[in-house]
Amino acid sequence: MSSGPQVLGVPLKYVSLVVLTVQNSLLVLIMRYSRIVNDTPYFTSTAVLLSELVKFVVCLYLSASATAAEGGGRLDVARVREEVLGGDSWKMLIPAALYTVQNNLQYVSVSLLDAATFQVTYQLKILTTALCAVVLLGTRLNRMRWISLVALTVGVILVQKPASSPAAAADGAQAARSTQLLGLLTVFVACVLSGLAGVYFEKVLKGSRKSVWTRNVQLSLFSMGPALFGVFVMDGSGVRANGFFYGYTVWTAAAIACQAGGGLIVAVVVKYADNILKGFATSISIILSCLASVWLFDFHITPIFLAGTALVLYATYTYGKEETAQKAPSPLPTTAARPEDSD
């Protein structure tokens, strides 16, 4: 007999993982396609701002609905406002700013790298999150988790090795290498910011009684300020000259929806699924993105790329498995402890 919430008879944790797999795969592909489908590129900073606005509206609705349910169906606006803006809400300012910069860098990276390379390389966020947890939270990693992180690093390095082609050798080889290097740098910075923000967010959640949805409302609300600042700094002159929605297509809207939906899906996955299943979903999304890139973007998979991707898949699954095992409760002893054993 299955426990926990279900959707059409299927446990919510499996439904959320399927949705997460599809969302992870589509996000990279749609972001990449939205950047090349139109000769008039849209302003990515405006897409980040709209994504935060969408997340804010959805999370606010979910948080208010939960508050109303607790109050017998009556919505207490003052209580919702106090939940969102009162107490230690200011703590969300730091991860909000970090996530905003990270989201902007994602658009830059996916514009410079092909979808498959970006998807695999972006898994470095596992490494940066682990290192941030060790430094900031004092987390201890066992030997298998360190091996997973080494495998992840080696895999990402292998993926960066360019495939030789006559066209690249004839002209533009240096430009292509420079573009890939810049793309790799932006991905790495995005991963570092993701690690810092994720660890900080986890620390705040552990020391708070507020719901995940309320924290996500705060996160989205406080992200809109830095996102708006990014519009002025990155694309201010272009927005003033051509308008906020300059270069937008239906694919731009799809990219915004996918990015906004990702945060909501992860919140559900974190609540109902363990890290083994989450790692499995991430691994499947990497495979799907690579296969789709061959068809959509004429991406050429080399043996070295396959080897690197295999290492990343191994590291992603093993790290999540070890993390879940570490959090599992210890089995009860089969024999009673003797008095002398307690010394």
Side-chain angles (χ1 to χ4, degrees), residues 67-300:
T67 303
E70 292 174 3
R74 179 177 175 274
L75 178 61
D76 188 343
V77 177
R79 182 183 172 188
V80 173
R81 183 171 61 247
E82 176 61 26
E83 281 284 313
V84 174
L85 300 177
D88 60 352
S89 59
W90 59 269
K91 291 182 178 180
M92 290 293 100
L93 288 169
I94 296 175
L98 293 176
Y99 277 132
T100 302
V101 178
Q102 173 208 336
N103 289 336
N104 276 286
L105 288 175
Q106 273 187 297
Y107 274 101
V108 175
S109 304
V110 83
S111 301
L112 297 171
L113 300 172
D114 58 81
T117 302
F118 171 82
Q119 179 77 307
V120 177
T121 306
Y122 194 55
Q123 301 314 309
L124 273 177
K125 62 185 179 182
I126 298 174
L127 171 65
T128 57
T129 302
L131 295 180
C132 287
V134 169
V135 175
L136 300 179
L137 300 181
T139 303
R140 303 174 75 89
L141 305 180
N142 61 26
R143 184 176 64 178
M144 282 304 302
R145 293 173 77 181
W146 280 116
I147 291 175
S148 300
L149 294 177
V150 172
L152 174 69
T153 305
V154 173
V156 169
I157 292 174
L158 290 177
V159 165
Q160 304 310 315
K161 185 173 177 59
S164 58
S165 64
D171 56 73
Q174 184 62 39
R177 281 194 293 269
S178 299
T179 299
Q180 180 148 2
L181 181 61
L182 181 58
L184 177 60
L185 178 61
T186 55
V187 170
F188 180 73
V189 175
C191 289
V192 172
L193 295 178
S194 176
L196 285 171
V199 169
Y200 185 93
F201 190 47
E202 178 183 349
K203 187 173 183 179
V204 172
L205 282 178
K206 286 181 177 179
S208 172
R209 291 182 298 175
K210 293 185 177 180
S211 69
V212 174
W213 293 120
T214 299
R215 287 302 187 187
N216 274 282
V217 172
Q218 295 171 340
L219 201 59
S220 301
L221 176 63
F222 296 145
S223 293
M224 284 191 281
L228 184 60
F229 179 74
V231 172
F232 284 110
V233 171
M234 296 172 59
D235 303 305
S237 58
V239 169
R240 285 190 293 270
N242 302 297
F244 188 90
F245 297 102
Y246 178 73
Y248 270 49
T249 65
V250 65
W251 294 106
T252 311
I256 293 171
C258 277
Q259 191 173 51
L264 305 176
I265 296 168
V266 168
V268 177
V269 170
V270 167
K271 185 173 182 179
Y272 293 109
D274 58 40
N275 283 288
I276 296 179
L277 295 175
K278 185 180 175 183
F280 183 74
T282 301
S283 301
I284 295 298
S285 67
I286 292 174
I287 295 172
L288 292 178
S289 295
C290 292
L291 294 177
S293 294
V294 174
W295 175 52
L296 293 173
F297 308 117
D298 196 28
F299 178 71
H300 299 284

